[in-house]
Amino acid sequence: MTRIFSGIKPTGHLTLGNYLGALRRWVEVDQHQADALFSVVDLHALTVEHDPARVRRLSRQAATLMLAAGLDPELCTVFVQSHVDEHARLSYLLECTATDGELRRMIQYKEKSAQARAVGQSVRLSLLTYPVLMAADILAYGTDEVPVGDDQTQHVELTRDLAVRFNQRYGHVFTVPKATHPPVAARVMDLQDPTSKMGKSHAAGAGIVYLLDDADVVRKKIMRAVTDSGREVEYDREGRPGIANLLEVLAACEGGNPIELAGVYESYGALKRDTAEAVVELLRPVRERHAELAADQGYVDEVLKKGAERARGMARPRVDAAYRAIGLLPG
């Protein structure tokens, strides 16, 4: 079977964007058609200023939501990244394979380092090197496909380059993966700023629908979504990003086409109301299942423990092979 790996970083509460762009596809498609690993990539949360207790809390919440969304530990491997030492072990070897120039060209590094400097924060070295850790996450498992949002494609390309370079220098160890993208709503935008991605780590939450928001909160956020000048409902991602975002969300919820949906509506208000109700109904079973799982943390802990054991068994032989190939003495 094709092997896939993907992860969620516990830097904030999971959002509608996380669900439509990644989680739902994992549940409905990937875990059934592939040998799939899904991880809470908590080591990546340490690249910026953080509260340790919050990282732990969000890591547990993310794992619980992944299960609540429908990931089945009998069908796929669900685990926490830091519970499998092979991620950090392999990351160093890949740091010895990557170049400074490659990492400084990463768009997310440029953006996040500029944001940190703008508020007087220092930039951690791990922010520069985290694409290498992401590459280790992927390559440790012989991953064939990496389902990602558009903003992570550059990192998968780096992963491919590092795999090819390592194999050429030291012998064939790694599978060269490819990025895959969901066909609709891969990148849900902020309801208050439709030119920016709906990010779970944003400080202001007015434009973000969180998976655990109650129904009334979801309705209020969508009804207050920023729209565009004019009154005609049409799908134009560049010229009318606010309406396009709502149409894409509605299409993703109902399995429709945003261009065709635009022809159904004569007013922004009707589009907002239907989008709000569609999102409420989409998230209702996730919230209900999360409440059940949150009351049974022993089950969640057991799933994560078994998932880490399974992941470790997959990763260790390949990482050990990489250690031998690059010139390190076996222990």
Side-chain angles (χ1 to χ4, degrees):
M1 293 181 71
T2 298
R3 180 167 290 174
I4 69 169
F5 175 95
S6 198
I8 287 179
K9 184 166 57 174
T11 50
H13 300 287
L14 298 190
T15 72
L16 177 66
N18 297 128
Y19 185 78
L20 292 178
L23 263 174
R24 188 170 66 168
R25 179 180 172 85
W26 297 356
V27 169
E28 295 180 354
V29 179
D30 295 331
Q31 69 173 341
H32 299 284
Q33 296 184 356
D35 181 8
L37 298 101
F38 301 112
S39 180
V40 178
V41 286
D42 53 344
L43 294 175
H44 290 291
L46 311 184
T47 60
V48 294
E49 292 292 332
H50 64 275
D51 172 34
R54 185 170 187 265
V55 170
R56 283 191 292 271
R57 185 171 64 252
L58 290 176
S59 295
R60 180 177 292 279
Q61 184 185 91
T64 306
L65 276 168
M66 288 161 69
L67 298 173
L71 288 182
D72 183 347
E74 297 299 319
L75 296 175
C76 64
T77 304
V78 181
F79 68 104
V80 176
Q81 177 193 33
S82 64
H83 294 176
V84 180
D85 292 345
E86 278 64 31
H87 291 255
R89 289 180 62 209
L90 181 55
S91 182
Y92 182 72
L93 298 195
L94 296 179
E95 284 186 13
C96 297
T97 308
T99 68
D100 176 77
E102 282 178 313
L103 299 183
R104 293 188 187 280
R105 285 195 295 271
M106 294 291 110
I107 295 170
Q108 288 207 355
Y109 171 72
K110 292 179 180 179
E111 292 176 350
K112 291 183 178 181
S113 61
Q115 290 169 3
R117 293 188 183 99
V119 296
Q121 294 179 351
S122 59
V123 179
R124 300 186 182 195
L125 179 61
S126 55
L127 185 63
L128 177 66
T129 60
Y130 98 87
V132 176
L133 176 57
M134 180 176 169
D137 299 338
I138 296 165
L139 297 179
Y141 298 101
T143 302
D144 300 295
E145 297 181 1
V146 189
V148 291
D150 296 339
D151 57 329
Q152 291 292 331
T153 300
Q154 187 183 34
H155 293 158
V156 180
E157 289 302 314
L158 174 67
T159 300
R160 290 170 55 85
D161 292 343
L162 295 180
V164 169
R165 188 178 306 153
F166 191 100
N167 289 345
Q168 289 176 341
R169 288 179 179 176
Y170 308 115
H172 187 84
V173 173
F174 299 119
T175 300
V176 181
K178 66 177 181 179
T180 59
H181 304 281
V184 178
R187 202 173 192 204
V188 179
M189 312 306 279
D190 191 293
L191 296 171
Q192 292 298 314
D193 179 11
T195 62
S196 299
K197 188 177 74 165
M198 185 180 284
K200 60 183 178 293
S201 55
H202 288 186
I208 303 169
V209 174
Y210 297 105
L211 297 189
L212 295 180
D213 280 345
D214 65 38
D216 287 342
V217 171
V218 172
R219 291 187 184 99
K220 286 178 182 178
K221 288 181 176 179
I222 294 177
M223 292 305 295
R224 294 172 180 171
V226 168
T227 50
D228 312 293
S229 59
R231 295 184 178 181
E232 186 177 352
V233 177
E234 60 180 347
Y235 181 74
D236 180 356
R237 168 51 77 185
E238 297 300 322
R240 310 187 79 179
I243 291 299
N245 189 39
L246 291 171
L247 288 167
E248 287 195 357
V249 169
L250 180 58
C253 289
E254 298 186 343
N257 181 292
I259 298 174
E260 294 175 358
L261 281 172
V264 174
Y265 293 94
E266 296 182 356
S267 72
Y268 292 172
L271 172 61
K272 285 182 175 182
R273 283 192 295 274
D274 284 0
T275 302
E277 292 308 315
V279 172
V280 166
E281 291 307 311
L282 181 76
L283 299 184
R284 188 187 307 280
V286 177
R287 286 174 44 233
E288 291 174 351
R289 180 60 176 152
H290 176 270
E292 295 172 1
L293 290 171
D296 187 8
Q297 282 301 322
Y299 169 77
V300 175
D301 290 344
E302 186 65 17
V303 168
L304 296 178
K305 179 182 177 182
K306 290 182 177 178
E309 291 172 353
R310 191 184 307 160
R312 200 174 299 119
M314 295 181 194
R316 183 164 293 169
R318 186 170 289 99
V319 175
D320 286 348
Y323 268 60
R324 292 191 299 272
I326 205 170
L328 300 176
L329 284 173

